[in-house]
Amino acid sequence: MVNLVLLGIATELLAGFAAATFDGNLNYASPSRRHSGLGIDVPRVSRRSLKRGAIAYRAEELNFTHGVASGDPYPDSVILWTRVAPSLESDTSNVTVEGTVPLYNHDTQTYINADPSPICVDWMVFSNGSEDIVSSGQAYTTSDIDYTIKVEATGLEPFTTYNYQFTICGSNVASPLGRTKTAPPADADVSELRLAVFSCSNYPNGYFNAYGNAARKDEQDYFIHLGDYIYEGNAKGERAHEPPKYLFSLYDYRTRHGQYRSDPDLQLAAQNFAWITTWDDHEVSDNGYRDGASGLNNTEQSFLNDGRVSVDQRKMNAVRAYFEWMPIRQTDLDDNLRIWRSFQMGNLLDLIVLDTRNYDRSITDLSWNSEYIDLIRNDASRSLMGSHQENWFYNQLSRSSERGATWRIIGNQIIFSYITESYGLSGDNWNGYIANRNRTLKHLYDNNISNTIFLAGDSHQNWVSDLAWLGEKPYNTETGDGAIGVEFAGTAVSSTGYNGLIIPARTAAETRVTNNDVLQWQDGYYRGYFLLTVTPEKLEARYYGSPSVASRNSWDLPLANFTVVAGANKLSRPVAGGSVEAGYVRGGDTNPTNVTLNTDTWKWDIVGYDQMYIDTSK
């Protein structure tokens, strides 16, 4: 009897210890702090490891399959991520997003088919360049969360660089050594901060050279990704999508995230920099909105013809995989899909990250309804964000200005400025939601909110514009007077932009700039990224291009440089100093040199390629 009692006590103690270490992995938690019941049943998972026949993996059977990553830096903490598993393969079960569970719950059944042997991992954070441990912990992972591990390292110093590493418990099997950086405190005097900005990384379409170039140059404090981090399609070619189909199930999305994270340049960038990310549409489905997307809508016909999955279930699957595989904090989703959040980076800037795609977006252009969208694009009821997020956004802008932050930088997915194309106005960016844009501009002008910088991706081309309320407020395109801020929109890491030769691309850019008063520079030829250098006196944007993404290479071509003086609320003239490498700049010249930096050797050379993208047709 005594032995049975002792056994029972020991079992309870072991289960309690296991529960504590399971709790250390944020991927078991609910994505909503208001709804703790939406998390995975940790005691159930920990008890499962005590079942007779449960055989633990040996350390030599396991690998850190996809490197390490960090993200969402706070002044005293940062999110750390890795995946430790017996293979590269993702879990094939959909159990965490199926069954009689509330929407977006991460617990469904009793995990009968899940791995009965949880994997134990220790993690440690070191002072940069030393072996002094400043934060540490232990966490478990299982197939329920695709063997991913996500922890919050706390007790850190602000605006400080650290190293970190994961190790399989009781062994010498260790992950690569990562590097990360915390954020400055809200009241700190920050003299300079640098952000590298990316979007639209299509794996089959080309190599992720932009990630590698920025990582090797090591000029930025943080990586910002504005979405389309993965694509849901089934493109072919030498980097063909896995699985080789459109994504619908949880397994599909997990596998796709794993494939993208296998790219060596992405791994290099993730290993060495803290990322702040948001999603665009392709993390779920092309041209997504609240109730559907271009390839799947809430109709019986769409259900039968397009994957036999509902819009909500598909979104559930995509969101589950995203939170498992990205080093992002699980913010309060408020019974929905909240990813929008903000970061106070000292008194220098506030980074306000939006979701203009999935949270509560009104219907968008789905190709077959373009005429309808054209008729309703100015309806007051239309919103890219929904009233909850939209009001939060305006409050964030006001509070940032009131607290004395010099700059407000908006991490937004889609082009904000009023840009007319040859076919007219897009229905899928802010032009399809004119009233929403007008409300934003009205808030900025009425409250005299200065130094607002919009960032955008999505279009796969570069655009730099003054922010102006055309038709409502005076604006001079030559001087920039009357503007209320600036928009920097970036090209893609690898997704297709202008699919042709560079001279016709330049002609197309000239036509766009000439036809749009606010647009000051445009280029659609190069893939790449841009680097923001922010100081109390000014903000500088430097654009870089990859000469080709059809091969993995380390060539990094400077394209154009722009300056915004604090308080000016417009691009400094002459725009880009009057000269750019590519595209077309208003009031200046295009002077192509092809003088390109090799970020491996640090040597400059004249470089050109005949092919920009990988052939994905075969």
Side-chain angles (χ1 to χ4, degrees), residues 16 103 238 312 330 548:
L103 191 61
E238 65 186 72
D312 288 333
Q330 292 175 292
S548 173

Side-chain angles (χ1 to χ4, degrees), residues 20-38:
T21 50
F22 274 103
D23 282 336
N25 190 340
L26 298 181
N27 279 339
Y28 284 102
S30 167
S32 171
R33 293 188 178 96
R34 297 184 187 180
H35 303 279
S36 58
L38 300 189

Side-chain angles (χ1 to χ4, degrees), residues 314-325:
R314 187 187 195 187
K315 197 173 290 186
M316 243 176 117
N317 299 337
V319 169
R320 173 75 225 181
Y322 188 89
F323 274 93
E324 286 176 348
W325 280 83

